[in-house]
């Protein structure tokens, strides 16, 4: 095209740059619309991708091979898990380790005996079998885990939320809580349990203390870490192992599925926000088209002079089309820079790995080129159709 028209590609590019430099204020405002749309799209995709990368890290660290057995949810009265549920689970070949907790009803924990009885702050009490945080991929933030043997002395470990509610941030020799009408030594505080966040507001006690508090001996949940290659088989046999006479009364779930479902929900919102970014991008394209139309009207004299000097229609058309493409490309580059910057600041602030898909950047820049071309077609064609005599009359 450049040979037939007598204008090289480099000349067209220089003409396009010159046309934009003559109106810097309007160029900045028009490019800003494109930049906002691209920045919104890249930031949304980048932030959601960084969040997913963090979730993947968490799942890799915690493992997806944890199964939880609980009392089945359904219509009618379902019996609780039998006291032997943990031992039954541990006898299965697929199970590598297991632990259990059981709710101690009608028991509250207070910082001291002077706290009014109704102010329980939502803290529950759970008896513990085995090393619950180890099976759930958790950790002890301060102190140690309880001695969960049947004859262990009175002691408690606080979940993360329970410790915060009680105002205890670390374990000391004199750290105690008031439970069951007596002081009990606090031996540990847990970090948050990602795979069982319902336990964060619990206070864990040995079964001996739980019995003194009226515990009936039935676990409410059995947590098992199974062979990663045999998760499906373990899921099939665990209910029957715990209650062979009525396996339908035992529900078996995988906690990591809940985290994955949450991520899927976040992805749906990401799609919505990307759509909003697309609308902003479209509005930016309309702004570019409007700017180019006004530019054509303001430069009728220039068009007339160039036509009188021998420029062909395609030369005029190509010049205005190049200006439109450059304007959109500048907005796209600015949008990519802003979107990447927002993603980095947000992800680093949240402690997430910064993950920005290459397709988002390439797609964003590609979208600007397409929008620039489409937005510039009509103004470029209009400029090319201006008769030289009519254009020169405006000089």
């Amino acid at each position: 095209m450049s040979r037939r028209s007598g204008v090289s590609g480099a000349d067209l590019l220089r003409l396009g740059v010159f046309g934009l430099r003559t109106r810097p204020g309007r160029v900045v405002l028009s490019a800003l619309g494109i930049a906002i749309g691209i920045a919104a799209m890249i930031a949304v995709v980048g932030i959601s991708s960084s969040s997913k990368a963090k979730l993947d890290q968490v799942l890799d660290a915690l493992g997806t091979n944890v199964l939880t057995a609980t009392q089945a949810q359904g219509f009618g009265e379902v019996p609780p898990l039998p006291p032997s549920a943990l031992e039954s689970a541990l006898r299965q070949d697929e199970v590598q380790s297991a632990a259990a907790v059981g709710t101690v009803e009608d028991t509250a924990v207070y910082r001291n005996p002077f706290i009014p009885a109704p102010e329980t702050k939502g803290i529950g009490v759970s008896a513990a079998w085995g090393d619950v945080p180890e099976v759930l991929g958790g950790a002890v933030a301060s102190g140690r885990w309880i001695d969960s043997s049947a004859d262990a002395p009175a002691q408690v470990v606080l979940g993360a939320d329970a410790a915060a509610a009680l105002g205890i941030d670390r374990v000391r020799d004199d750290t105690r809580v008031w439970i069951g009408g007596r002081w009990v030594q606090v031996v540990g505080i847990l970090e948050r349990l990602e795979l069982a966040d319902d336990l964060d507001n619990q206070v864990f006690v040995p079964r001996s203390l739980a019995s003194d508090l009226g515990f009936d001996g039935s676990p409410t949940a059995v947590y098992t870490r199974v062979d990663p290659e045999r998760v499906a088989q373990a899921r099939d046999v665990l209910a029957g192992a715990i209650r062979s006479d009525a396996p339908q009364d035992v529900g078996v779930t995988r906690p990591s599925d809940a985290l994955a479902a949450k991520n899927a929900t976040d992805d749906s919102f990401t799609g919505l926000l990307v759509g909003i970014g697309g609308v902003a991008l479209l509005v930016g394209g309309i702004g570019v088209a409007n700017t180019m139309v006004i530019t054509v009207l303001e430069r009728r004299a220039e068009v007339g002079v160039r036509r009188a000097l021998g420029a062909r229609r395609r030369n005029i058309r190509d010049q205005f089309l190049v200006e439109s493409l450059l304007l959109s490309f500048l907005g796209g580059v600015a949008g990519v820079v802003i979107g990447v910057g927002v993603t980095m600041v947000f992800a680093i602030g949240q402690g997430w790995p910064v993950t920005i898909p290459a397709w988002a950047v390439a797609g964003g820049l590609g979208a600007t080129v397409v929008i620039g071309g489409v937005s510039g077609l009509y103004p470029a064609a209009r400029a090319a159709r201006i008769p030289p005599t009519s254009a020169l009359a405006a000089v």
Side-chain angles (χ1 to χ4, degrees):
M1 179 189 296
S2 61
R3 288 184 179 179
R4 295 196 304 268
S5 62
V7 180
S8 67
D11 289 336
L12 278 175
L13 183 60
R14 280 193 291 270
L15 283 171
V17 172
F18 176 79
L20 295 181
R21 288 176 60 186
T22 58
R23 296 163 179 80
R26 185 174 297 161
V27 167
V28 170
L29 293 176
S30 300
L32 185 61
I34 293 288
I36 291 173
I38 293 295
M41 293 177 66
I42 290 180
V44 168
V45 172
I47 289 173
S48 62
S49 298
S50 299
S51 174
K52 185 177 184 302
K54 178 61 177 179
L55 175 63
D56 291 340
Q57 284 185 351
V58 171
L59 291 180
D60 288 342
L62 299 177
T64 57
N65 60 327
V66 173
L67 298 179
T68 301
T70 59
Q71 183 180 2
Q73 302 297 316
F75 297 103
E77 184 175 350
V78 178
L81 299 180
S84 61
L86 178 62
E87 290 75 12
S88 299
L90 284 170
R91 285 196 292 267
Q92 306 309 304
D93 294 336
E94 297 84 358
V95 176
Q96 297 175 335
S97 60
V101 297
T103 301
V104 181
E105 303 288 350
D106 302 323
T107 302
V109 180
Y110 304 96
R111 191 68 180 88
N112 58 62
F114 307 108
I115 304 295
E119 296 185 13
T120 62
K121 298 184 178 180
I123 301 172
V125 179
S126 292
W129 291 257
D131 195 333
V132 174
E134 190 276 332
V135 173
L136 290 174
V140 177
S142 178
R144 60 174 175 83
W145 179 242
I146 61 172
D147 178 359
S148 56
S149 58
D151 57 348
Q155 56 191 278
V156 300
V157 166
L158 310 179
D161 290 343
L166 292 169
I168 301 174
D169 58 356
R170 68 183 66 181
V171 174
R172 301 178 179 84
D173 291 340
D174 60 346
T175 304
R176 300 180 300 171
V177 293
W178 185 259
I179 178 172
R182 57 172 164 166
W183 288 107
V184 179
Q185 180 73 33
V186 177
V187 298
I189 299 173
L190 296 184
E191 293 183 356
R192 292 190 175 278
L193 298 172
E194 297 289 346
L195 292 181
D197 56 4
D198 57 311
L199 298 182
D200 288 338
N201 68 340
Q202 296 293 302
V203 171
F204 302 93
V205 301
R207 281 174 288 165
S208 55
L209 176 57
S211 298
D212 294 343
L213 297 174
F215 178 53
D216 62 6
S218 296
T220 51
V222 177
Y223 304 101
T224 61
R225 189 168 288 274
V226 303
D227 185 343
E229 304 298 325
R230 305 168 70 184
V231 174
Q233 297 93 312
R235 205 168 190 169
D236 292 338
V237 304
L238 201 55
I242 292 176
R243 188 176 287 282
S244 58
D245 57 333
Q248 71 276 5
D249 291 340
V250 180
V252 180
T253 59
R254 185 160 60 168
S256 58
D257 290 344
L259 294 179
K262 178 180 180 298
N263 188 64
T265 302
D266 292 341
D267 286 345
S268 65
F269 281 106
T270 297
L272 174 63
L273 294 176
V274 167
I276 295 174
V279 172
L281 191 59
L282 178 61
V283 172
I286 295 173
V288 170
N290 184 59
T291 296
M292 295 308 300
V293 169
I294 296 175
T295 299
V296 169
L297 295 176
E298 291 179 344
R299 295 164 65 184
R300 289 169 62 91
E302 175 191 334
V303 171
V305 171
R306 290 198 60 203
R307 292 295 304 276
L309 292 175
R312 300 179 181 181
R313 285 188 175 186
R314 65 169 63 96
N315 301 140
I316 304 299
R317 180 195 62 204
D318 292 347
Q319 177 185 348
F320 281 90
L321 187 58
V322 167
E323 287 186 20
S324 178
L325 289 170
L326 285 173
L327 182 58
S328 296
F329 183 74
L330 290 173
V333 171
V336 168
V337 173
I338 295 172
V340 170
V342 169
T343 299
M344 292 181 64
V345 170
F346 189 88
I348 293 174
Q350 296 293 321
W352 298 346
V354 178
T355 305
I356 303 174
W359 64 261
V361 176
L365 289 176
T368 61
V369 173
V370 173
I371 289 176
V374 173
S375 301
L377 284 176
Y378 172 72
R382 179 172 180 172
R385 288 197 302 266
I386 298 176
T389 55
S390 173
L392 287 172
V395 179

